[in-house]
Amino acid sequence: PLLTFAIQWPPCLQMPPLSACNFGPEFTANVSSLTACATALRGQLEADEVRFEADESETNTFYLLFCAALVFLMQAGFALLSAGSVRMRSVKNILLKSVMDACFGGLVWYLIGFGFAYDKSEDGNAFIGGSGHNFALSGADDTTGKKDYGHDAVFFFFQYCFAAAAATITSGAVAERCTLVGYCAYVFAIVGFVYPTVVHWVWDEHGFLSAFNKDAMLTGMVDFAGSGVVHMTGGICAFTGAFIIRPRKGRFGELPEHAFAGQSASLQVLGTFLLWFGWYGFNPGSTLALHNYARDAARAAVTTTLSAATAATTGILLKRFAPGSCGGSHGVWDLGHTCNSLLGGLVSITAGCTTVEIWASVVIGFIGAFFYHGASCLMRRLKIDDPLDAFAVHGACGLWGCLAVGFFCTCDYSYTESGTACGVFYGGDGLLLATQIVGTIFITLWVGALSAILFSGLMAGGLLRISKEVEDAGLDNSKHGGAAYPDIATAIEEATERITPKRITSATDAAGA
């Protein structure tokens, strides 16, 4: 006779004890019962596997949705930082442009940008997407048995938030003197074509610079969250736009430096902290999933924190103690410079946030502060007016972030499809560093050439820069129905009216004497 036994199945399988299968004293007489139990168990296991897979996929979708929401919140950070960094006469204008980045830019990304960036076809183009699946999301399908658990939709949303960030970077560099028509034109070009092409090169599996493409150039460029793709692209557009549109009236020489100081230090700091907060969606969220990538997401959060903290600390000391000839503040603890140094540290670590060791993020942030400081001083030497230091923060530090990967990328964390590529400090043969250099050159040439053509055309057509009359009156009063702070504006006007006649009388008396 068989031994009498009973096994209690794990509760998650919801199976009865084995003794309930009615085994009789003769094994041969109960083969059918045993087979039925095995079949039931197999069916239950298959059902559990489907449920576990669904739970995992839905968790990944929620994770990416949450990270995308954090990145979207960065639009509020950009808006506050911009509003605090411009003069009071242009606050409404820069805030409206921040709103339109998300709105108009979102429509452009939906209609054409996403399609150029990502190609769903198996034999996609190495230069630009064009299969048609992602233009206006025409290939989206979540109703005919395809169970993607919302991944396609949330991936579009996540990438849209990145595209809006790239466009917003440029708006700060041309603040206070760019027309709304010119602004919309460059948002259309950047979000619809210039930026998506770079995305395709580096992040799409078919791109010729993509680390996910085994046939990529050299090793494939490692730019995990976008130091080059997002920030260099926006920063180079910012440089080109600021150069072509020319400085604000009186910016260099005619009026003192303090006449162009930002109108609210409080908004600058709030904006900086919101951007830092959003970066925890930007960098860790670029894993695109939580299951199997939790380690990388957690490390990205730590490296992001340390790079930002180091860059801010380095920046405030550098500005305070550097000689005046090297951009020092003559003993002043500069708040604005500290905030921008912090942002420069965030940009610097974005490319390698998951591929470098934690200690290396401190070094990257430290050097990033010098990149920001040097680029900011260079812009002033060249007399290129960039009210938010957009090029110094995003362009220069984005460049450093890409190059830093070539030095600090570890073999364990590297993810290139063409083989494990390491930084030169970890025994690498220099091929990854060469790829990073080549990648930044391609981005610079592509973005620089197209943005120069765009801004030059708009400038030649009289569509880029506002008129002298509008600039004298201020954009808010001329185009947006009045000042952002009407009570303060009224008090300033009344004070000016009281002072001006006295000055005129004094000047007349002096002339008569």
Side-chain angles (χ1 to χ4, degrees), residues 329-419:
S329 60
H330 303 287
V332 174
W333 300 100
D334 195 309
L335 175 63
H337 191 278
T338 304
C339 289
N340 280 340
S341 297
L342 187 156
L343 296 175
L346 291 168
V347 173
S348 299
I349 196 60
T350 296
C353 57
T354 62
T355 62
V356 304
E357 293 191 84
I358 290 175
W359 68 265
S361 66
V362 175
V363 179
I364 292 171
F366 176 77
I367 298 175
F370 283 87
F371 266 79
Y372 162 69
H373 183 85
S376 179
C377 292
L378 178 63
M379 292 288 280
R380 285 169 171 75
R381 291 285 179 90
L382 296 175
K383 295 187 176 180
I384 300 175
D385 185 13
D386 184 352
L388 270 77
D389 262 348
F391 170 73
V393 171
H394 301 277
C397 292
L399 170 64
W400 161 239
C402 293
L403 298 180
V405 172
F407 293 102
F408 295 100
C409 180
T410 71
C411 299
D412 291 335
Y413 300 150
S414 180
Y415 58 84
T416 57
E417 283 290 327
S418 58

Side-chain angles (χ1 to χ4, degrees), residues 285-297:
S286 290
T287 59
L288 304 181
L290 185 61
H291 285 277
N292 299 323
Y293 298 103
R295 178 200 69 168
D296 299 319

Side-chain angles (χ1 to χ4, degrees), residues 192-203:
F193 185 66
V194 177
Y195 168 75
T197 305
V198 179
V199 170
H200 186 81
W201 293 352
V202 181
W203 286 342

Side-chain angles (χ1 to χ4, degrees), residues 236 240 443-456:
I236 293 168
T240 308
I443 293 173
T444 301
L445 293 177
W446 171 258
V447 178
L450 291 186
S451 60
I453 294 171
L454 170 67
F455 285 117
S456 296

